[in-house]
Amino acid sequence: MHQIDPKLLVKSHVKSIPMRGAPAISVKGLTKRFGKFIAVNDINLEIEKGKVFGFLGPNGAGKSTIIRMLCGILEPTAGIGQVAGYNMYTQGEAIKNVIGYMSQKFSLYEDLTVMENIDFYSGIYCVEANKKDARKAWVLEMAGLKDQVDTKTALLPGGWKQRLALGCAVLHEPSLIFLDEPTAGVDPISRRKFWTLIDQLAASGVTIIVTTHYMDEAEYFDQIALIYRGVVIAEGSPEELKRDAMPEKILEVFCSNTQEAIPHLRSLTGVREVELFGNGLHLVVSDADKVSAEIPLVLNKAGIKLKSLDRITSSMEDVFVSLIEKYDKDERPLAEVAR
């Protein structure tokens, strides 16, 4: 049976006054070391209320460590900050009263039924007696589990377990929700349904903080922090990052004899990468205008017919790979990062 961390779930009855008008989260110099390992290195963030904010990066980048510090599960090595208007260091219990948390690993009790889990967590989160029935009904409706109340949680498909875990995390109507890799290992259809639920919560004014390593999920976020080796290497909206964060540009080429064209295009000065993409080619280039002018010439010389040539918007994966390569080139790599 899974163990519940009392630091996270036990609610404090000590009265604390939040700072009014403050952002949902504001931290400066947030750092976490495990011995010689630097898990999180000097993070500065300010997250507005009512936003869906994403920490996007590969496994081991430090995303989960950041979440655990913000929730009060891990004590930072250095830095200052506030969460939901409360001081991270002096009002940790008050923070736990107003947040919801969904861990990376499925955290419900699989030997309990759906309703037994909901009942249990309504008690853990101290849901007021006059609200319990309404909140439990809401969770069942939201998760699509009205016909599964007596089903053992272990027997639920992965996507349903995920929605149940989300429902239990928001039973007490928190103003701030942390979701740590919530869609890991879930099929694409269930992932899409899950994000529909997140959109609905965000529309009601809840601030949602999500960690993920799925680059395609970037489009769901209002703001993103790209995390690599414990460092924020870029921050902004998906549109801003794809437009401004990547120094190179992407050209899309369709031509006859695609495979034959690749070495000719790679020979051009300013072309960093040429990759097959469907029936065409994607070129990562440093000077889009210069390379665009040279492509017809080099293909014509090789007897290859150019069908179309367009400059396209970079994907988040393009951006992230480019920034990682720049970071590794320009910065001294950190020691192995603990998660």
Side-chain angles (χ1 to χ4, degrees):
M1 183 177 288
H2 296 276
Q3 297 299 310
I4 298 175
D5 189 334
K7 289 183 179 180
L8 178 64
L9 297 180
V10 177
K11 298 183 72 174
S12 169
H13 296 287
V14 177
K15 292 183 179 179
S16 301
I17 306 299
M19 295 179 287
R20 297 190 181 280
I25 293 174
S26 179
V27 296
K28 293 182 179 180
L30 189 65
T31 300
K32 183 62 181 179
R33 295 175 181 269
F34 296 97
K36 295 181 179 180
F37 297 140
I38 303 174
V40 176
N41 189 26
D42 195 25
I43 297 291
N44 301 307
L45 287 173
E46 187 163 295
I47 301 173
E48 297 178 28
K49 293 178 180 177
K51 298 293 185 181
V52 181
F53 188 96
F55 290 105
L56 184 63
N59 291 331
K63 304 184 301 297
S64 294
T65 302
I66 294 172
I67 290 289
R68 290 166 187 163
M69 285 191 286
L70 295 176
C71 290
I73 301 173
L74 282 177
E75 183 177 344
T77 304
I80 59 173
Q82 61 82 16
V83 176
Y86 297 103
N87 187 288
M88 287 177 60
Y89 292 91
T90 63
Q91 297 178 300
E93 292 304 315
I95 291 173
K96 293 166 190 173
N97 288 348
V98 297
I99 68 169
Y101 175 73
M102 182 175 166
S103 65
Q104 182 176 2
K105 295 181 179 179
F106 184 68
S107 59
L108 302 186
Y109 288 84
E110 295 202 337
D111 54 344
L112 297 181
T113 67
V114 168
M115 182 53 77
E116 286 170 342
N117 264 301
I118 295 172
D119 279 332
F120 178 76
Y121 276 85
S122 69
I124 286 291
Y125 282 120
C126 298
V127 177
E128 296 176 17
N130 63 343
K131 291 185 176 180
K132 273 192 178 183
D133 287 344
R135 292 304 297 163
K136 289 190 289 186
W138 178 86
V139 169
L140 292 172
E141 178 68 31
M142 179 275 295
L145 293 170
K146 290 191 294 183
D147 296 329
Q148 304 294 332
V149 291
D150 296 322
T151 301
K152 285 287 183 69
T153 301
L155 301 178
L156 294 175
W160 288 11
K161 286 183 180 180
Q162 175 198 54
R163 299 200 298 271
L164 176 60
L166 176 63
C168 288
V170 298
L171 267 166
H172 57 308
E173 300 180 88
S175 61
L176 177 59
I177 304 172
F178 292 93
L179 307 175
D180 190 10
E181 297 279 2
T183 58
V186 178
D187 66 88
I189 294 176
S190 294
R191 284 172 59 197
R192 182 172 296 181
K193 290 180 179 178
F194 183 84
W195 277 105
T196 298
L197 299 179
I198 296 303
D199 287 341
Q200 292 170 359
L201 288 170
S204 70
V206 177
T207 305
I208 301 172
I209 314 298
V210 185
T211 71
T212 183
H213 61 271
Y214 293 117
M215 296 295 161
D216 61 310
E217 292 190 340
E219 303 301 330
Y220 294 111
F221 300 129
D222 296 312
Q223 291 287 117
I224 303 170
L226 297 179
I227 308 292
Y228 180 61
R229 293 186 179 270
V231 175
V232 175
I233 59 175
E235 183 183 353
S237 69
E239 294 75 18
E240 290 169 341
L241 291 173
K242 287 187 288 186
R243 184 186 65 234
D244 303 328
M246 182 175 174
E248 298 91 355
K249 302 302 178 184
I250 308 294
L251 297 178
E252 184 174 60
V253 173
F254 287 95
C255 60
S256 62
N257 303 320
T258 302
Q259 290 282 359
E260 184 183 339
I262 292 176
H264 297 288
L265 295 175
R266 283 178 175 163
S267 69
L268 294 174
T269 302
V271 174
R272 184 171 65 81
E273 186 177 333
V274 181
E275 297 292 344
L276 283 169
F277 197 86
N279 294 324
L281 297 168
H282 278 191
L283 284 65
V284 180
V285 302
S286 56
D287 188 334
D289 292 335
K290 179 176 179 295
V291 174
S292 294
E294 294 176 350
I295 287 174
L297 301 177
V298 71
L299 292 182
N300 183 63
K301 185 176 180 181
I304 300 171
K305 181 181 179 181
L306 176 64
K307 298 178 181 178
S308 67
L309 169 60
D310 296 292
R311 186 183 304 187
I312 63 174
T313 302
S314 305
S315 69
M316 191 55 62
E317 184 172 352
D318 292 328
V319 173
F320 197 55
V321 170
S322 176
L323 291 173
I324 284 176
E325 289 179 350
K326 183 177 186 302
Y327 180 88
D328 285 339
K329 179 180 179 181
D330 296 344
E331 303 289 337
R332 180 177 65 85
L334 299 174
E336 181 182 355
V337 179
R339 191 163 188 175

